[in-house]
């Protein structure tokens, strides 16, 4: 059962009665000669680049030949897994850090502040190298009775890559989440507390769901960035798309060709993600931006009579 | 009748600004207690102190005989834990000027939320109850849904902070009707309002606040028609 909250029925204004149609304007448009010149120049440069590549010593056939090579496919899979897991660490860590940062306890909020300061203030490649080389500092990892091993056995390239990317991402996600949490009206927290909901319940049931509309769109962008950033872990010997492509390139001599191949795969993946991002942003922009053409998804939404889109406030 | 709310010398400051400068009053059980006064006089602040959304700096505030926000042992006060404060808030419903409905939930979900999350009521039961409450308040409009949401917790005290101030004029009457019904059912209510008509007809007592103190109190009809203080007179001449 749902309730009609809206005040305005929103009936469209009646069409004006047809008057005698005024004469249509037929004016000669302004000519933008500068635009023609710029277009010609741009096309010229483009042709030059294409020609240069066409005449260069590139074995174009190497790209389609290796496009579905087993190692490339494995690399694509590793890249996707790494992206997903790093983002998972980033999101969970980011939410935790942002809540810590907003906490009234000065110790917790300072720790969060310091973490964010450090991880955002240093290049992720440097962080990856640090994780990779920590084995020279710690010979063993010793978590008391739980776990004990040689560092190099523990810190596999995979874990190095995952920690390096995930912990760095957490710092960025923390800032995104913080903006999201702050975007929720204070009245929401008050109403929830006045109903007797605990601090945690208020956060989980009221604040975070509403913060999502601010958090999710930039997070989509972070995923796309992360997909590309994973290529950095080739530097710490983790085999993902770039590393496999380099290997193939080195052994076959088709270095540039396999790099272009890898670039094509990255493009395919980021393009797919960008389409998802487009719908994500459109979905979260509903109500707040001007009328967008209905997607199938939006039509479904419109049929769900929820308070939020009925009150027409946001 | 026992006092549902009792304030003794309640002080509240924000930084260096003293907003409440010693409020003394008593709200009897089952009473409709109206609070009027100019903007900035501390009405909302006092209301928020009652369910501990604001901490009192000095004085004592009791709800149903229990100290708000603290436990007294000997002559020492101990702050209550968050969970204990939350527990006490269950019994106090609050209705805000700006509704503060949860926009990510339907009207029904708004009303069901607290009984399920706070009282651990079964979903089906909460849904049925919420449906009844929405029917009782007459559906249709945000502030009435907000009232239903507060009532769903079966409070023994309801706080209203200018519940009709943000409403379109044609909706004011309906909300006041709901409040009147609620008053007739015996609910203890503290109502901050500019609706003098409502105060006169429904109110059992009325307090005029200005500058963080109670200037004048009494039966609404007496205070509104025959104010004894200059400040009350000049305020009423502006709003009536
Ligand atoms: N959180 C706060 N921090 C600082 N000052 C505050 C805060 N809340 C309220 N005040 C101040 O306290 C004073 C009293 O505010 P309050 O909201 O209680 O007044 P009111 O009587 O409810 O007025 P109105 O009719 O405008 O709602 C105001 O001057 C306000 O600026
Ligand atoms: Mg107020």
């Amino acid at each position: 059962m749902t309730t009609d909250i809206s005040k305005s029925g929103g009936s469209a204004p009646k069409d004006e009665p047809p008057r005698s149609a005024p004469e249509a304007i037929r004016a000669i448009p302004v000519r933008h000669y500068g635009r023609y010149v710029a277009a010609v120049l741009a096309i010229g440069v483009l042709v030059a680049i294409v020609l240069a590549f066409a005449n260069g010593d590139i074995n174009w056939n190497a790209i389609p030949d290796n496009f579905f090579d087993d190692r490339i496919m494995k690399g694509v899979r590793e890249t996707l897994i790494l992206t997903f897991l790093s983002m998972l660490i980033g999101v969970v860590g980011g939410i935790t850090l942002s809540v810590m940062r907003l906490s009234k306890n000065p110790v917790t909020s300072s720790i969060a502040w310091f973490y964010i300061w450090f991880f955002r203030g240093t290049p992720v490649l440097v962080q990856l190298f640090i994780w990779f080389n920590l084995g020279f500092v710690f010979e063993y990892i010793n978590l008391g009775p739980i776990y004990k091993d040689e560092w190099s056995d523990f810190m596999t390239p995979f874990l190095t890559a995952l920690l390096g990317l995930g912990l760095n991402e957490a710092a960025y996600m923390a800032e995104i989440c913080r903006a999201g949490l702050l975007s929720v009206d204070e009245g929401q927290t008050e109403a929830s507390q006045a109903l007797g909901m605990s601090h945690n319940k208020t956060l989980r049931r009221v604040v975070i769901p509403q913060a999502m509309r601010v958090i999710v769109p930039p997070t989509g962008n972070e995923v796309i960035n992360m997909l590309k950033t994973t290529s950095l872990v080739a530097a710490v010997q983790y085999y993902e798309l770039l590393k496999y492509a380099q290997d193939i390139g080195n052994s076959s001599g088709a270095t540039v060709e396999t790099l272009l191949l890898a670039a094509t795969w990255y493009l395919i993946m980021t393009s797919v993600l960008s389409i998802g991002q487009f719908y994500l942003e459109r979905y979260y922009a509903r109500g707040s931006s001007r009328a967008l053409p209905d997607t199938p998804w939006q039509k479904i939404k419109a049929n769900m009579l929820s308070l939020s889109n009925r009150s027409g406030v946001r | 009748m026992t006092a549902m709310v009792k304030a003794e010398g309640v002080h509240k400051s924000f930084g260096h600004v003293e907003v409440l400068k010693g409020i003394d009053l008593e709200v009897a059980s089952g009473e409709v207690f109206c609070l009027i006064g100019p903007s900035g006089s501390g009405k909302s602040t006092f209301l928020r102190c009652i369910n501990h959304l604001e901490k009192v700096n000095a004085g004592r505030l009791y709800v149903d005989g229990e100290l708000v926000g603290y436990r007294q042992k000997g002559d020492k006060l101990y702050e209550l834990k968050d969970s204990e404060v939350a527990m006490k808030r269950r019994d106090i419903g609050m209705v805000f000027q700006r509704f503060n409905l949860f926009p990510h939930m339907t009207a029904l979900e708004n009303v069901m939320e607290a009984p399920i999350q706070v009282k651990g009521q079964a979903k089906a039961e909460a849904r049925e109850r919420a449906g009844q409450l929405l029917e009782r308040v007459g559906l249709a409009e945000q502030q009435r849904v907000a009232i239903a949401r507060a009532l769903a917790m079966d409070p023994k005290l309801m706080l209203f902070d200018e519940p009709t101030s943000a409403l379109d004029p044609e909706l004011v009457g309906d909300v006041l009707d709901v409040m009147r019904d609620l008053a007739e059912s015996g609910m203890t209510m503290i109502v901050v309002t500019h609706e003098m008509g409502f105060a006169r007809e429904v109110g059992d007592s009325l307090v005029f606040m200005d500058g963080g103190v109670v200037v004048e109190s009494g039966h609404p009809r007496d205070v509104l028609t025959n104010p004894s203080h200059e400040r009350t007179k000049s305020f009423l001449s502006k709003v009536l």
Side-chain angles (χ1 to χ4, degrees):
Chain A
M1 188 185 95
T2 320
T3 306
D4 188 294
I5 300 294
S6 68
K7 305 160 202 156
S8 57
S11 64
K14 275 207 186 123
D15 286 334
E16 296 271 315
R19 288 192 217 130
S20 59
E23 198 191 340
I25 294 176
R26 270 189 226 95
I28 291 128
V30 178
R31 305 270 184 221
H32 297 279
Y33 294 106
R35 289 184 196 168
Y36 294 128
V37 175
V40 168
L41 274 179
I43 290 172
V45 171
L46 208 62
V47 168
I49 292 173
V50 169
L51 279 179
F53 269 88
N55 293 330
D57 185 13
I58 295 179
N59 175 15
W60 291 105
N61 285 334
I63 298 181
D65 285 352
N66 289 319
F67 204 75
F68 295 108
D69 185 285
D70 281 352
R71 283 169 294 176
I72 293 293
M73 295 321 290
K74 198 149 179 271
V76 167
R77 207 168 61 230
E78 291 298 324
T79 292
L80 287 174
I81 290 173
L82 197 57
T83 304
F84 177 77
L85 291 180
S86 309
M87 279 312 295
L88 197 67
I89 295 179
V91 168
V92 173
I95 292 175
T96 313
L97 281 167
S98 64
V99 171
M100 284 171 70
R101 185 97 158 74
L102 294 172
S103 133
K104 281 187 200 121
N105 182 338
V107 177
T108 10
S109 74
S110 309
I111 290 174
W113 181 90
F114 185 82
Y115 181 101
I116 294 166
W117 173 74
F118 178 81
F119 281 92
R120 292 213 314 166
T122 52
V124 65
L125 187 57
V126 175
Q127 290 168 27
L128 282 168
F129 279 132
I130 292 177
W131 285 111
F132 187 62
N133 288 301
L134 274 185
F136 296 112
V137 189
F138 308 114
E139 206 172 332
Y140 294 101
I141 175 157
N142 189 351
L143 301 178
I146 310 167
Y147 187 83
K148 185 171 181 207
D149 204 347
E150 281 186 39
W151 184 267
S152 54
D153 286 347
F154 166 71
M155 204 42 128
T156 58
F158 176 69
L159 205 56
T160 309
L162 194 58
L163 283 183
L165 295 176
L167 296 185
N168 180 258
E169 184 58 29
Y172 285 90
M173 282 307 302
E175 290 299 272
I176 292 174
C177 294
R178 191 165 77 103
L181 294 180
L182 288 175
S183 76
V184 179
D185 182 27
E186 257 184 308
Q188 293 292 310
T189 317
E190 279 180 2
S192 164
Q193 288 182 337
L195 286 166
M197 286 167 81
S198 66
H199 184 74
N200 279 340
K201 279 243 165 77
T202 301
L203 210 55
R204 269 213 333 270
R205 299 282 312 173
V206 175
V207 178
I208 290 179
Q210 291 182 63
M212 280 305 165
R213 60 186 297 125
V214 173
I215 293 175
V216 170
T219 303
N221 272 326
E222 290 294 304
V223 174
I224 294 171
N225 277 330
M226 180 58 85
L227 188 97
K228 293 179 289 176
T229 310
T230 53
S231 63
L232 289 181
V233 304
V236 290
Q237 303 307 317
Y238 184 68
Y239 275 78
E240 38 64 76
L241 179 54
L242 177 61
K243 188 75 179 156
Y244 278 118
Q246 281 178 321
D247 266 20
I248 297 172
N250 287 341
S251 55
S252 67
T255 315
V256 176
E257 290 82 349
T258 40
L259 285 177
L260 287 173
L261 192 162
T264 313
W265 267 110
Y266 281 116
L267 261 179
I268 291 172
M269 290 190 281
T270 51
S271 302
V272 170
L273 287 179
S274 297
I275 294 171
Q277 175 72 2
F278 172 79
Y279 277 96
L280 206 66
E281 278 180 13
R282 170 197 227 106
Y283 173 69
Y284 278 96
R286 95 210 111 103
S288 62
S289 74
R290 279 161 293 164
L292 302 163
D294 276 353
T295 62
W297 184 220
Q298 274 188 325
K299 282 181 193 150
I300 295 168
K301 250 337 255 190
N303 289 333
M304 288 165 49
L305 307 175
S306 75
L307 197 62
S308 56
N309 53 23
R310 289 234 117 197
S311 61
V313 180
R314 297 194 178 217
Chain B
M1 277 217 171
T2 51
M4 179 59 82
V5 176
K6 191 171 171 195
E8 297 172 353
V10 169
H11 285 254
K12 171 70 192 172
S13 307
F14 293 109
H16 296 296
V17 186
E18 195 170 39
V19 175
L20 300 180
K21 302 169 182 167
I23 303 281
D24 295 280
L25 54 79
E26 252 189 71
V27 180
S29 222
E31 189 177 35
V32 176
F33 189 96
C34 297
L35 212 52
I36 62 169
S39 182
S41 56
K43 308 180 296 290
S44 299
T45 306
F46 179 69
L47 218 55
R48 293 157 53 80
C49 285
I50 293 174
N51 63 3
H52 209 53
L53 285 174
E54 302 287 358
K55 276 187 188 149
V56 170
N57 296 122
R60 294 281 191 276
L61 193 52
Y62 300 90
V63 172
D64 209 12
E66 289 180 44
L67 198 55
V68 174
Y70 304 92
R71 182 183 300 112
Q72 185 152 19
K73 272 195 194 147
D75 56 355
K76 280 221 175 70
L77 284 186
Y78 297 87
E79 233 178 272
L80 292 184
K81 281 187 289 187
D82 283 350
S83 57
E84 293 170 305
V85 173
M87 188 64 111
K88 294 197 170 183
R89 285 187 184 133
R90 292 178 180 199
D91 296 334
I92 307 173
M94 187 154 190
V95 175
F96 301 85
Q97 183 175 355
R98 304 208 44 87
F99 326 131
N100 295 343
L101 287 175
F102 304 134
H104 57 302
M105 302 178 189
T106 62
L108 196 69
E109 285 166 348
N110 263 275
V111 182
M112 291 161 59
E113 180 68 7
I116 293 175
Q117 295 298 326
V118 180
K119 281 188 173 170
Q121 219 172 62
K123 212 166 183 178
E125 192 189 344
R127 184 184 299 275
E128 197 189 323
R129 180 82 208 291
Q132 289 166 358
L133 280 167
L134 284 174
E135 220 154 287
R136 176 173 166 196
V137 299
L139 310 169
E141 181 272 324
Q142 299 200 50
Q143 193 60 297
R144 284 191 269 168
V145 175
I147 293 174
R149 179 177 68 173
L151 289 177
M153 289 298 286
D154 295 313
K156 55 190 178 193
L157 169 66
M158 286 283 285
L159 310 175
F160 292 85
D161 191 355
E162 302 194 28
T164 56
S165 296
L167 291 178
D168 287 350
E170 77 266 24
L171 297 172
V172 170
D174 293 340
V175 169
L176 291 179
D177 284 345
V178 170
M179 291 169 63
R180 188 175 324 216
D181 286 349
L182 198 55
E184 273 160 18
S185 76
M187 176 67 72
T188 313
M189 297 161 60
I190 303 183
V191 186
V192 174
T193 187
H194 291 301
E195 297 290 335
M196 299 306 160
F198 176 84
R200 193 195 317 258
E201 286 166 39
V202 184
D204 298 307
S205 353
L206 182 141
V207 153
F208 171 67
M209 271 177 74
D210 193 7
V213 294
V214 172
V215 176
E216 186 165 353
S217 61
H219 194 277
R221 222 170 303 119
D222 300 337
V223 180
L224 291 176
T225 47
N226 202 2
S228 51
H229 284 258
E230 228 15 81
R231 276 198 277 174
T232 320
K233 275 181 201 159
S234 79
F235 173 75
L236 288 177
S237 71
K238 276 179 223 149
V239 296
L240 284 180

